[in-house]
């Protein structure tokens, strides 16, 4: 690749990523003003990501504009670290999310989930008292369980609903409890289940309790996280390919800059 072409490509790529970094920082600032503690907890990681993208972009941009081999070397080293980190994270994400799947229940359009089916990493994170306390507060604030009654106004609609893993695990008791369903928010808890499932005793109709302390709720969250991680892992694979191409162009720009300096 010619010197002019490689420098031009690197300049414009890093100019665009600088704009992206500014957008990420603005988004992080917006999150910091949010009263929802669940979103606000992500503020520092988002701001850190935006700052890192901005720094590496400005180094690559200045290196290409000034044809400075030192700046381009720094840019390539940082880009290489990012590529390795993305590759490691993607491999780990696929390994961690390899286990776990739902179980079909007769008469239901959705699946139920069991915590024991998921990877030890998920079990460790979800069984951590502090982690679950924070996650549970976020689930309660989300109002997902309370919205079921608004979404499914009749018992027939509710029984035919295709609930999400979190709704299936956190908003209702497991099917083997056999509690009679009154509506999307209430079950007849006067019934005494014969199941040994400890979640049966943990479920309450209260909007702040529901089945948030149940293993079935943790399993629903694990399934949700598994799905999200798979999406991120696939995105990372595409990002890895794009960054590899950028790295190749950057190598060409660095080599051409070194040649131009040697001629001076």
């Amino acid at each position: 690749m010619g010197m002019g072409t490689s420098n031009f490509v690197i300049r414009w790529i890093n100019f665009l990523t600088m704009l992206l970094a500014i957008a990420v920082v603005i988004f992080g600032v917006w999150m910091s003003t949010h009263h929802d503690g669940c979103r606000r907890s992500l503020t520092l990681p988002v701001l850190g990501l935006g700052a890192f993208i901005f720094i590496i972009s400005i180094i690559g941009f200045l290196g290409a504009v000034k044809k400075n081999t030192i700046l381009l070397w720094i840019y390539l080293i940082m880009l290489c670290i990012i590529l390795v980190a993305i590759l490691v994270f993607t491999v780990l994400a696929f390994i961690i999310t390899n286990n776990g799947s739902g179980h079909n229940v007769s008469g239901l359009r959705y699946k139920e989930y069991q915590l024991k089916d998921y990877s030890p990493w998920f079990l460790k994170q979800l069984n951590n008292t502090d982690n679950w306390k924070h996650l549970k507060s976020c689930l309660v604030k989300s109002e997902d369980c309370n919205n079921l009654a608004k979404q499914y106004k009749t018992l027939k609609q509710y029984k035919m609903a295709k609930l999400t893993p979190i709704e299936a695990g956190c908003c209702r008791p497991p099917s083997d409890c056999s509690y009679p369903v009154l509506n999307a928010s209430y079950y007849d808890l006067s019934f005494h289940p014969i199941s040994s499932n400890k979640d049966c005793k943990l479920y309450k109709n209260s909007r702040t309790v529901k089945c948030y302390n149940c293993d079935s709720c943790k399993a629903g969250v694990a399934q949700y996280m598994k799905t999200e991680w798979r999406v991120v892992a696939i995105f990372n694979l595409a990002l890895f390919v794009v960054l590899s191409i950028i790295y190749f162009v950057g190598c060409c720009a660095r080599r051409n800059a070194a040649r131009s300096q040697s001629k001076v």
Side-chain angles (χ1 to χ4, degrees):
M1 184 178 289
M3 180 171 62
T5 303
S6 60
N7 283 334
F8 175 82
V9 172
I10 288 296
R11 281 200 304 268
W12 274 103
I13 285 176
N14 285 285
F15 177 74
L16 293 175
T17 52
M18 275 193 285
L19 296 179
L20 173 64
I22 293 172
V24 171
V25 170
I26 292 174
F27 178 66
V29 172
W30 174 81
M31 291 180 70
S32 68
T33 62
H34 223 276
H35 296 298
D36 184 352
C38 302
R39 291 186 181 180
R40 196 164 55 239
S41 64
L42 298 174
T43 298
L44 288 179
V46 170
L47 289 175
L49 176 63
F52 185 74
I53 294 174
F54 185 81
I55 290 172
I56 191 174
S57 298
I58 200 167
I59 291 174
F61 181 80
L62 292 176
V65 169
K66 297 180 178 296
K67 300 176 183 177
N68 187 301
T69 55
I70 296 177
L71 289 177
L72 288 173
W73 264 118
I74 295 173
Y75 172 71
L76 291 173
I77 290 172
M78 294 178 73
L79 199 56
C80 183
I81 293 172
I82 292 174
L83 285 170
V84 172
I86 289 175
L87 187 61
V88 171
F89 174 82
T90 303
V91 171
L92 289 176
F94 276 112
I95 293 174
I96 290 172
T97 60
N98 188 50
N99 297 331
S101 60
H103 299 268
N104 291 313
V105 179
S106 178
L108 298 180
R109 295 184 61 195
Y110 52 87
K111 296 180 179 181
E112 291 188 334
Y113 304 88
Q114 297 181 9
L115 190 58
K116 63 182 181 180
D117 294 339
Y118 294 88
S119 71
W121 185 88
F122 274 132
L123 295 180
K124 181 179 179 181
Q125 299 303 314
L126 294 172
N127 285 325
N128 180 283
T129 303
D130 292 334
N131 288 349
W132 186 248
K133 183 178 179 181
H134 175 70
L135 283 170
K136 185 169 68 172
S137 68
C138 293
L139 291 170
V140 174
K141 290 177 183 178
S142 70
E143 293 287 331
D144 286 346
C145 293
N146 296 318
N147 289 334
L148 289 179
K150 301 175 184 176
Q151 193 172 357
Y152 307 109
K153 298 185 181 300
T154 66
L155 189 58
K156 182 178 180 181
Q157 288 178 334
Y158 179 56
K159 289 184 175 181
M160 294 298 292
K162 194 170 184 180
L163 303 182
T164 66
I166 291 179
E167 290 172 344
C170 303
C171 304
R172 50 179 292 281
S175 295
D176 58 358
C177 298
S178 301
Y179 286 127
V181 187
L182 301 180
N183 57 44
S185 294
Y186 288 92
Y187 287 76
D188 182 2
L189 301 184
S190 63
F191 176 83
H192 296 288
I194 59 173
S195 173
S196 60
N197 191 336
K198 65 177 184 179
D199 287 352
C200 297
K201 294 183 179 180
L202 293 174
Y203 175 83
K204 303 295 178 187
N205 286 319
S206 170
R207 61 177 296 277
T208 58
V209 180
K210 293 296 182 181
C211 216
Y212 295 129
N213 295 314
C214 303
D215 282 348
S216 63
C217 185
K218 293 179 180 179
V221 172
Q223 179 63 27
Y224 171 80
M225 292 171 66
K226 172 184 174 178
T227 303
E228 293 295 304
W229 275 48
R230 279 292 174 95
V231 172
V232 172
I234 294 171
F235 172 79
N236 279 348
L237 286 177
L239 181 61
F240 182 83
V241 173
V242 173
L243 290 180
S244 297
I245 296 172
I246 295 174
Y247 184 82
F248 170 75
V249 176
C251 288
C252 294
R254 197 273 317 160
R255 185 174 62 249
N256 292 330
R259 286 176 182 174
S260 64
Q261 288 181 359
S262 64
K263 293 178 181 178
V264 176

